[in-house]
Amino acid sequence: MGQATPRLLRPPPPTTEPFAVKWALIGTAVLFMLLFLVMPLAAVLSEAFSRGIGTYWAAITDPYTLKSVRLTLLVAAISVPLNVAFGMTAAWAIAKFEFVGKSVLITLIDLPFSVSPVIAGLIYVLMFGAQGWIGPWLIDHDIRIVFAVPGLIVATTFVTFPFVAREMIPLMQDQGTDEEEAAILLGASGWQTFWRVTLPNAKWALLYGVLLCNARAMGEFGAVAVVSGHVRGVTTTMPLQIEMLYNEYKFAASFAVASLLALLAVVTLVVKATLEWRFGEELAAVHRAPGGKV
Amino acid sequence: MSIEVRGVEKEFGGFRALDGVSLNIREGELVALLGPSGSGKTTLLRVIAGLEYATGGSVLFDGEDAGARHVRERRVGFVFQHYALFKHMTVFNNVAFGLRVKARATRPSPEEITSKVNALLNLVQVEQFGSRYPSQLSGGQRQRVALARALAIEPRVLLLDEPFGALDAKVRKELRRWLRGLHDRMGLTSVFVTHDQEEAMELSDRVAVMNRGRIEQVGSPTEVYDSPATPFVYEFLGNANRLPCRIEHGSARLGETVFTDATGLADGDGVAFVRPHDIEVTSDRLALSIPATVKQVLISGAVAKLELTMDPAPGMIEVELPRGAHWGAPFLAGQKVHWRARTARVFPASAGASPVAAPEVKAAG
Amino acid sequence: MFALRRPSVLPGFGPTLGFALFYLSLIVLIPLAGLFFKSAELGWEGFVRAVSTPRVLASFRLTFGAAFLAALLNAFVGFLVAWVLTRYRFPGRRVIDGLVDLPFALPTAVAGIALATLYAPNGWIGSILDKVGIKVAYTPAGVWVALVFISLPFVVRTIQPVLQDLEPEIEEASASLGARRWQTWLYVIIPVLLPAMITGFSLAFARALGEYGSVIFIAGNLPFRSEIVPLLIFVQLEQYNYAGAAAIATVMLMASFILLLIINVLQRWTARRHGAD
């Protein structure tokens, strides 16, 4: 007491680890991330270009690959808007009203996240397949769902079901109903209130949800694998095309297609990080505990 | 426009937020709904606005049942406690909102909207902030913008929920006077909710004191302060000493001493209320006076606060003396004195249900 | 339902809730219910028989075991990563933080072929491990590696916000009361984070149980050895054994629901404790 401690011997601040421990922890964490997360990404690029740029270009301009790209875009272009429509209506009902059974409904919306993708595909085969519940009726009317494009769309819709809703619901709940009540008192109709007040307040959350929903829709593999039937050029989305090429030992081509989806993933992450950084206050995900059961 | 609230009841899942409330508000009047939190004052305001549906009773605007009209058509100006400004719109667009959402047939032209909004921004003295967003304004400015937005639809009544609750003390006082001035100029029937008795006293024409979903008393600020109708009002408005006493033959006794009049009350236990500044303290015995001992003397600004303990009866009495009066022959701690009430009010003990103690009340009192 | 809601001046409750319920039923509830009906066709005995063949049991063991071990590792590594990301400032922190979500964003098929290639005996990592006699690709270890990859973000993203909310004042208070750093850890930090760690573990475990795409390429898919349950469901389906596939899927689904329930209870419990503070 009383005597000043020499500078070099001053103990570390009470709420941090010693210097060496701190850097050992950082080093371990970063090393793990590099080994487990970054290396696979690097491997995709390395393998994709292993036979040179010419092979790469040939692989991604292959007609079947282009067809798979088109199909992937089509599937996403239908299932994402469907889930947006659902997300917005569900969020309005849940966030702006008090009713019995609300928490049950919220749990049910999250349900698809805890269902294995394979099971997601299976339930539609059981429903629409030749041996399924309404399979015979569909065959009689010459409607194909399973092993055809509609099957890919419903399966993708299932696995991406919660994304938009679970982003919008907590945000709109946080925002309360004051602004909507103010709008109604000022004479606005329900539509005007939604479009001019509610949606502008939730637009970044909506975009965030759409971003994740789209990434999953384009990258979904397990569920579409089950309902696809693997008809080359007809029911093969990009992830299925990757699988087929890989199983045919066309590794460079397979990784070339994979590199496109990897690029999508990286772009998604960058946009996501940007949204979180710029509009963190207006995103539910940033405030919510579990970062999403994607 | 006049507002008549008739026997309004409101239940939230078994909880009675409003228990048969009736209140008449005259054209052009500024009425305060005053009460502790949980007293139902905000619920009543929201029922008047049409934001909550009453479980029973009705609200009449100029004699016409307001419940028949949708909120959109009631033309009620409502200022929310936290303003509920549209965060993504500029101040100008916030104020213009109510005009722009009108059906095409009744919507003013863009030029009219611009001039009207500018006039309102002028009125509330934020004309230079039209292009700012709510987040770029101070609390007081947001409050004014919220008011301008509410006024834009030319409301028939103006309702304000804790209009000054979110502001700091200095801005609060300033804005209070400004709002009173604005009301006097515009003459719009207005109702505001507050838990701050000083605010209610200073700003309103009449005060409705609420407790547990009921209105305890309605009257001018002086009426409710000088002659509170119930023990609750007595204790809620300003400080009061609460003294358990006996009522015998029309007078109240503390111990053996008759200390104040209780004409018309039946014999039995009673509760007397005496305001600290309505007490005289002397060193000599006087008629109706009660002996006590000075426990503590605190000088606070212009007043001297004395704490007396009574010798026969338990309990402590707070006295406020003008500092000048105390100056000549100051009382000292430990001194034996006599006190008597200049005015006091006695209630039978059965009526003396203690008011809901809310923390904010203590802070405000 | 209409009678059971609090009246509000906002319009549109009926149509929006109606659409939401309709869509939820159509896409999720009815198809899922179909699964239970299908497996019910087998009767109790048939159901038990379908899910207790040696091959099915072997794949249950592998899937639950590998998922558990992957979630367990991630409970610790995820905690470490979350701690480093919230408490320390170092160059590249933002990039690392963004990368945590890579397994969410990277399509599972892409992750699958990449991992298979990396850990193959001639791959970047596989060749090194091969020298010390460790085989990962086409073994149960490969399943575990893939599951570690895809389930890491769940733990990190569950713990991170809790860590951010943990005010340094609490630790300062602990230190000012004379606690050593390890005591602060043991008595102050860990108890606050434990529920989040368990929640993150459960989320990771649930996700790993159902994972398909990233596993099948690296697993080798040998029956009795490296065949995971989702793949087995797929195989049953390709052999037109629909009821068998449904039965196995039912067991998996029940496991997921139980986990979901545990997670919900945990989160409610933490929320209540936080609310009470």
Side-chain angles (χ1 to χ4, degrees), chain B residues 288-312:
Chain B
L288 301 181
S289 75
I290 295 168
T293 309
V294 177
K295 184 137 184 272
Q296 222 185 138
V297 181
L298 298 166
I299 307 292
S300 155
V303 294
K305 290 183 184 174
L306 269 61
E307 281 178 25
L308 310 181
T309 46
M310 274 180 289
D311 298 335

Side-chain angles (χ1 to χ4, degrees), chain A residues 179 181-182 185 188 192 196 200, chain B residues 46 71-72 86-88 101:
Chain A
E179 287 187 41
E181 286 176 354
L185 280 169
Q192 286 172 321
R196 296 186 185 209
Chain B
R46 288 173 63 87
V71 203
R72 261 199 294 284
F86 305 128
K87 293 185 277 294
H88 63 286
V101 295

Side-chain angles (χ1 to χ4, degrees), chain B residues 105-358:
Chain B
T106 53
R107 194 189 307 156
S109 70
E111 297 76 39
E112 285 171 307
I113 291 179
T114 307
S115 69
K116 186 157 186 195
V117 171
N118 283 330
L120 281 164
L121 293 180
N122 259 315
L123 179 73
V124 300
Q125 301 164 359
V126 291
E127 58 278 11
Q128 68 273 41
F129 299 133
S131 54
R132 290 214 191 164
Y133 286 89
S135 59
Q136 298 166 311
L137 300 180
S138 71
Q141 289 162 347
R142 281 181 215 174
Q143 165 70 271
R144 290 157 193 259
V145 174
L147 191 62
R149 185 179 69 176
L151 293 175
I153 58 166
E154 293 175 11
R156 304 186 294 168
V157 291
L158 184 62
L159 307 176
L160 307 105
D161 186 7
E162 295 272 3
F164 312 107
L167 302 171
D168 58 58
K170 190 174 167 291
V171 182
R172 199 184 283 206
K173 281 209 161 130
E174 231 173 76
L175 211 53
R176 213 188 273 168
R177 268 178 221 136
W178 175 80
L179 189 69
R180 180 72 232 192
L182 191 72
H183 177 266
D184 291 345
R185 264 185 290 154
M186 298 185 44
L188 193 59
T189 311
S190 307
V191 183
F192 73 99
V193 156
T194 182
H195 63 260
D196 181 343
Q197 39 129 343
E198 194 186 316
E199 195 169 288
M201 296 297 182
E202 231 182 272
L203 194 53
S204 63
D205 297 325
R206 282 197 304 153
V207 182
V209 184
M210 295 190 66
N211 182 32
R212 298 182 180 181
R214 292 170 165 279
I215 291 184
E216 298 252 338
Q217 189 176 6
V218 188
S220 72
T222 25
E223 263 166 38
V224 291
Y225 187 82
D226 291 342
S227 36
T230 65
F232 171 81
V233 178
Y234 223 121
E235 287 198 310
F236 190 67
L237 293 179
N239 287 338
N241 289 298
R242 180 192 171 89
L243 305 166
C245 56
R246 287 280 309 163
I247 302 168
E248 273 167 31
H249 315 301
S251 35
R253 289 169 181 270
L254 264 180
E256 289 311 306
T257 323
V258 171
F259 83 107
T260 192
D261 177 59
T263 313
L265 294 177
D267 289 3
D269 286 333
V271 184
F273 288 90
V274 189
R275 299 221 185 266
H277 53 76
D278 284 337
I279 294 176
E280 276 179 281
V281 183
T282 56
S283 34
D284 312 316
R285 190 185 168 92
L286 301 170
L288 301 181
S289 75
I290 295 168
T293 309
V294 177
K295 184 137 184 272
Q296 222 185 138
V297 181
L298 298 166
I299 307 292
S300 155
V303 294
K305 290 183 184 174
L306 269 61
E307 281 178 25
L308 310 181
T309 46
M310 274 180 289
D311 298 335
M316 197 201 63
I317 298 173
E318 217 183 294
V319 182
E320 275 178 30
L321 300 174
R323 208 167 144 191
H326 178 243
W327 221 228
F331 294 104
L332 301 169
Q335 191 178 341
K336 301 277 180 196
V337 292
H338 284 85
W339 67 271
R340 71 174 177 188
R342 269 192 292 268
T343 52
R345 176 90 194 260
V346 184
F347 296 96
S350 54
S354 187
V356 196

Side-chain angles (χ1 to χ4, degrees), chain A residues 4-288:
Chain A
T5 320
R7 199 171 178 77
L8 285 173
L9 295 178
R10 200 169 51 184
T15 57
T16 56
E17 279 61 48
F19 185 81
V21 175
K22 171 181 160 181
W23 282 98
L25 293 177
I26 294 176
T28 314
V30 171
L31 190 71
F32 182 87
M33 296 282 290
L34 290 176
L35 206 65
F36 265 84
L37 301 188
V38 180
M39 206 109 114
L41 199 59
V44 171
L45 292 182
S46 155
E47 292 291 325
F49 291 101
S50 60
R51 300 275 180 83
I53 188 98
T55 318
Y56 180 83
W57 185 250
I60 62 171
T61 52
D62 174 82
Y64 285 120
T65 299
L66 290 179
K67 276 192 176 167
S68 75
V69 173
R70 232 170 287 144
L71 182 59
T72 297
L73 293 175
L74 173 75
V75 168
I78 295 173
S79 56
V80 173
L82 279 176
N83 285 334
V84 167
F86 167 72
M88 292 202 298
T89 49
W92 179 262
I94 289 172
K96 303 298 177 190
F97 298 91
E98 291 302 323
F99 57 93
V100 172
K102 191 189 256 210
S103 59
V104 177
L105 182 57
I106 295 175
T107 308
L108 287 178
I109 289 173
D110 270 352
L111 203 56
F113 277 152
S114 43
V115 174
S116 170
V118 171
I119 296 176
L122 171 69
I123 58 177
Y124 292 112
V125 174
L126 294 180
M127 191 112 191
F128 302 120
Q131 297 182 25
W133 302 103
I134 52 173
W137 184 87
L138 291 172
I139 292 170
D140 287 347
H141 293 77
D142 207 22
I143 303 170
R144 299 205 54 146
I145 292 185
V146 170
F147 310 132
V149 176
L152 301 176
I153 293 168
V154 286
T156 304
T157 306
F158 180 96
V159 294
T160 58
F161 186 87
F163 281 99
V164 179
R166 68 177 284 116
E167 185 54 37
M168 294 191 71
I169 291 168
L171 180 86
M172 281 169 56
Q173 274 177 325
D174 273 2
Q175 290 181 337
T177 53
D178 275 6
E179 287 187 41
E180 280 79 11
E181 286 176 354
I184 297 278
L185 280 169
L186 292 168
S189 70
W191 275 114
Q192 286 172 321
T193 304
F194 181 75
W195 288 109
R196 296 186 185 209
V197 175
T198 309
L199 200 56
N201 275 331
K203 62 175 183 283
W204 298 115
L206 175 64
L207 185 64
Y208 191 90
V210 166
L211 182 78
L212 299 184
C213 185
N214 178 65
R216 179 71 191 266
M218 291 193 172
E220 178 50 29
F221 176 65
V224 292
V226 175
V227 294
S228 143
H230 293 78
V231 186
R232 173 157 280 179
V234 181
T235 61
T236 42
T237 58
M238 287 168 80
L240 297 174
Q241 176 76 356
I242 293 170
E243 183 198 20
M244 288 174 89
L245 291 169
Y246 188 86
N247 288 342
E248 289 159 7
Y249 302 102
K250 293 175 185 159
F251 294 132
S254 172
F255 276 102
V257 183
S259 72
L260 297 179
L261 285 179
L263 180 70
L264 171 75
V266 172
V267 170
T268 302
L269 286 186
V270 171
V271 177
K272 179 174 173 287
T274 312
L275 281 176
E276 284 169 2
W277 172 60
R278 281 280 283 113
F279 306 105
E281 285 304 304
E282 297 166 51
L283 296 175
V286 179
H287 306 289
R288 193 175 52 213

Side-chain angles (χ1 to χ4, degrees), chain B residues 24-57:
Chain B
N24 283 314
I25 297 162
R26 291 186 286 269
E27 167 99 45
E29 212 178 9
L30 179 52
V31 169
L33 301 179
L34 174 66
S37 49
S39 60
K41 55 194 193 303
T42 293
T43 308
L44 178 58
L45 193 76
R46 288 173 63 87
V47 168
I48 296 174
L51 290 171
E52 294 299 347
Y53 299 111
T55 333

